[in-house]
Amino acid sequence: MANKTVHLRTRSLVTGGAGFIGSHLCRRLLELDHDVLCVDNFYTGTKDNIAELLPNPHFELLRHDITFPLYVEVDEIYNLACPASPIHYQLDPVQTTKTSVHGAINMLGLAKRTKARILQASTSEVYGDPALHPQPEAYWGNVNPIGPRSCYDEGKRCAEALFFDYHRQHGVEIKVARIFNTYGPRMHPNDGRVVSNFIVQALKDRPLTIYGDGKQTRSFCYVDDLVNALIRLMATDAGVIGPMNLGNPSEFSMLELARKVIDHTGSGAEIVFEPLPTDDPRQRRPDIAFARRTLDWQPRTCLDDGLVSTIAYFDQLIRGGAHA
Ligand code: NAD
Ligand code: UDP
C-alpha cells in the first residue's frame, strides 16, 4: 500500500510524456524537484524528445498504452496521452477515441485508487466551429458528431464528461484544461499542424500551403507558457476543477502566420492555396479571464518571439539530417 508521507517529492505521472507538450512538462516538473513517471506508447511521441531526461534518477519511462489499465502509485496525474494533430488522430480514429475514453476511465480509476489529483488535457476542439467568439468556458460548442474530426472532438468531450462524473460520483480531485493551439520546439515535423508545416516548408524553400483562403484564424500559445499554466492549475485548491481555457488570446489569420514565418526565416518560399479540410473551424480565440484570475497567469511569449525559438529548433533538426 502506498504511503504518501514517506515521499518527500511529489510523484507525478505524465501520460503522453514523450510527446510535444508532455516532454516539456516532464522537464519542468523535474526542475521543480518532482519524481516523474512518463508513460507513452510512442504513437506520435519519440524517445528523442525525452532522451536527455533518461539519466536523471528522478525520471522514469514506461512504454504503455493507456487504453489498458495501469497500476502505479502516484500523487498527481497529468493525462496528456492522445495524438493531437488532425493527420495523426485521423490515421486510426477508433484508437483515438479509445485513447480519450478508455484512457480517461483507466487514469480516473488510477486517480480514484491512489487518491491522486488528475488533470485532463482537453482541447479548444470541444467548441468545434464556434458560433461564439471568443470562446468562454460556459459555451457548449458547435461540434459535428459524425465527421472526420469527431473521433478527437467527441472523444475529448466524453473524457470531460467522465472527469466530471468521477468527481461528482467518486470525489476524485479533477482539473480540466481546455488547451488552445500550442506550438514550440519538439513539435513533430511531419504532424501537419500549421506552425510546423509552415516553418519546415519555409526552411526548405518549399511553398507554404495555406488551406482555404487563409482568412481562418487561430490563437497560438508558446509551449513554455502553456506548461506554466498546467502546473499552476494542478496546484490550485480542490475547489478549482475547470474547465479552464488555456491559450494565448492574440489571434492571427493563417495568411498573417505564413507571412511572419517567411519574414523570420528569410525564406524565398511562395504561398500556395489548397482546399480547406472538412469541418476546419473558421476562428478560434480563448477567453482566458478565468485562468488569469485564478492562476495569476497570462502568456508571456508573443508569436514573433515564439516563432524565432521554434524556427531555430527546426533549423537544427533539418541541418542535423533528422528530417529529410
Ligand atoms: P503529441 O502527439 O505530441 O503527444 C501525445 C503523446 O501521447 C505522444 O507522445 C503519443 O505517443 C502519446 N500517446 C498517444 N496515444 C497514447 C496511448 N493510447 N497511450 C499512451 N500514450 C499515447 O501531442 P501534443 O501536442 O503534445 O498534445 C498533448 C495533449 O494536449 C493531447 O492530449 C492533446 O489532445 C492536448 N492538446 C494539444 C494541443 C496542441 O496545440 N498541441 C491543443 C489542445 C489540446
Ligand atoms: N493549415 C494550413 N496549412 C497547413 C496546415 C494547416 O493552412 O499546412 C490550416 C488549417 O486548415 C487550420 C489552421 O491552419 O485552419 C490550423 O491547423 P492545425 O492543424 O495546426 O490546427 P487545428 O485545425 O486543429 O486548430
Side-chain angles (χ1 to χ4, degrees):
M1 191 65 192
N3 180 354
K4 286 185 188 181
T5 55
V6 300
H7 294 277
L8 298 177
R9 288 169 175 258
T10 304
R11 298 163 302 173
S12 306
L13 164 61
V14 180
T15 76
F20 159 52
I21 298 175
S23 60
H24 286 272
L25 178 62
C26 288
R27 195 167 272 95
R28 187 78 195 106
L29 290 170
L30 286 169
E31 284 167 7
L32 295 171
D33 290 335
H34 289 224
D35 268 335
V36 176
L37 172 58
C38 166
V39 163
D40 207 294
N41 68 351
F42 299 111
Y43 183 60
T44 51
T46 66
K47 287 184 186 160
D48 286 343
N49 281 344
I50 41 142
E52 72 191 58
L53 306 182
L54 291 173
N56 187 326
H58 297 288
F59 180 76
E60 210 178 340
L61 171 64
L62 179 65
R63 178 192 284 266
H64 175 80
D65 182 329
I66 62 155
T67 61
F68 297 97
L70 177 67
Y71 292 90
V72 291
E73 306 306 322
V74 289
D75 303 313
E76 59 181 31
I77 303 168
Y78 289 89
N79 188 35
L80 271 61
C82 186
S85 91
I87 290 186
H88 285 147
Y89 71 63
Q90 289 173 23
L91 211 59
D92 186 348
V94 173
Q95 172 67 11
T96 299
T97 304
K98 277 188 186 170
T99 293
S100 279
V101 177
H102 293 188
I105 292 170
N106 288 328
M107 292 308 106
L108 284 160
L110 175 62
K112 184 179 159 208
R113 181 179 63 76
T114 57
K115 299 194 169 29
R117 254 180 196 197
I118 181 165
L119 182 150
Q120 168 67 354
S122 190
T123 168
S124 54
E125 299 283 346
V126 300
Y127 300 123
D129 190 2
L132 194 61
H133 193 72
Q135 294 80 55
E137 288 88 353
Y139 178 52
W140 289 357
N142 176 31
V143 176
N144 178 353
I146 56 167
R149 295 174 82 108
S150 309
C151 58
Y152 185 74
D153 302 7
E154 296 292 16
K156 290 284 190 179
R157 285 170 69 95
C158 184
E160 284 200 10
L162 282 163
F163 267 70
F164 275 79
D165 283 336
Y166 266 76
H167 174 67
R168 285 185 289 249
Q169 198 175 331
H170 299 300
V172 171
E173 260 195 59
I174 62 160
K175 312 278 176 193
V176 174
R178 289 186 179 152
I179 302 170
F180 283 63
N181 296 61
T182 300
Y183 71 100
R186 293 201 289 279
M187 290 183 89
H188 197 295
N190 288 333
D191 78 2
R193 278 185 275 190
V194 69
V195 175
S196 45
N197 263 15
F198 284 178
I199 292 177
V200 170
Q201 289 162 343
L203 289 173
K204 293 183 171 180
D205 278 330
R206 292 180 185 160
L208 273 64
T209 51
I210 287 191
Y211 303 158
D213 59 11
K215 290 185 187 151
Q216 72 271 36
T217 65
R218 294 291 187 275
S219 307
F220 298 103
C221 186
Y222 190 63
V223 65
D224 290 353
D225 285 330
L226 193 264
V227 163
N228 191 358
L230 292 176
I231 290 172
R232 282 177 187 230
L233 175 57
M234 183 64 105
T236 50
D237 294 341
V240 179
I241 59 177
M244 181 184 285
N245 288 340
L246 297 180
N248 189 324
S250 310
E251 184 179 357
F252 298 89
S253 71
M254 295 313 102
L255 263 171
E256 288 171 314
L257 177 69
R259 292 199 186 106
K260 277 184 185 293
V261 170
I262 288 174
D263 283 351
H264 285 299
T265 51
S267 171
E270 48 175 342
I271 290 174
V272 294
F273 292 88
E274 295 189 355
L276 192 66
T278 310
D279 294 337
D280 198 280
R282 279 165 295 127
Q283 53 184 8
R284 206 182 282 137
R285 169 152 61 105
D287 176 335
I288 59 164
F290 180 39
R292 273 187 215 271
R293 202 172 56 239
T294 313
L295 308 182
D296 188 22
W297 166 90
Q298 62 179 1
R300 286 195 304 211
T301 312
C302 68
L303 184 58
D304 289 289
D305 291 348
L307 283 177
V308 169
S309 339
T310 312
I311 288 166
Y313 166 79
F314 279 109
D315 194 31
Q316 203 179 23
L317 195 74
I318 290 167
R319 279 173 205 269
H323 184 249

